[in-house]
Amino acid sequence: MSEQSPEGGPYADEPAHALPEYAERVLDVAELIPPGRVMTYGDVAEWLEQGGPRQVGRVMALYGGAAPWWRVVRADGVLLPGHEQRALGHYRAEGTPLKEASRAAEGHLPRIDMRRARWDGGDRAEGHT
């Protein structure tokens, strides 16, 4: 069991407001993704050479509210459950390529066009952390 500091952080030497180092790195990558582009949870983990899609998803769920969370997505392009309308607003405002849903699709929500919207890190990939 971990120690609880008087300030509330999970470790005695960590302030309650401090983000874990991995979370900071994930959020830094989210900030680098250009408007209108996306990376998958797995792409972010691969870029960082640490963790996996689930770890990145967990970071985004816990700490991603102030970051451009809508730019880190599922590999199938499905909009984040429970946040579809907010995400869709961001995608439309940024010009993110979308695939319109068929009439048979549940809720008729579009998906992200991953072939066109996916970002590989571009020139920044050489100096990633």
Side-chain angles (χ1 to χ4, degrees):
M1 208 158 153
S2 66
E3 279 184 30
Q4 186 73 20
S5 73
E7 293 84 27
Y11 305 103
D13 62 346
E14 181 180 328
H17 63 278
L19 283 177
E21 188 262 340
Y22 183 70
E24 285 185 33
R25 293 179 67 214
V26 167
L27 298 176
D28 286 347
V29 173
E31 293 285 346
L32 293 175
I33 302 168
R37 302 300 297 272
V38 298
M39 289 181 92
T40 69
Y41 299 112
D43 291 340
V44 173
E46 185 177 325
W47 206 68
L48 291 172
E49 299 176 348
Q50 185 180 8
R54 289 179 189 231
Q55 289 82 8
V56 172
R58 181 79 173 148
V59 166
M60 295 305 295
L62 292 175
Y63 308 108
W69 54 267
W70 58 92
R71 296 182 193 152
V72 181
V73 301
R74 292 173 37 158
D76 62 5
V78 170
L79 305 187
L80 183 64
H83 302 278
E84 297 94 344
Q85 295 304 322
R86 285 181 53 212
L88 194 54
H90 288 292
Y91 298 139
R92 288 186 172 144
E94 293 182 356
T96 305
L98 300 172
K99 288 184 177 181
E100 289 306 318
S102 69
R103 295 270 182 211
E106 187 177 328
H108 305 292
L109 289 171
R111 287 183 180 211
I112 299 163
D113 184 339
M114 295 302 293
R115 187 180 56 76
R116 293 175 39 224
R118 200 170 198 164
W119 185 63
D120 66 3
D123 297 334
R124 301 217 182 207
E126 290 180 15
H128 76 278
T129 56

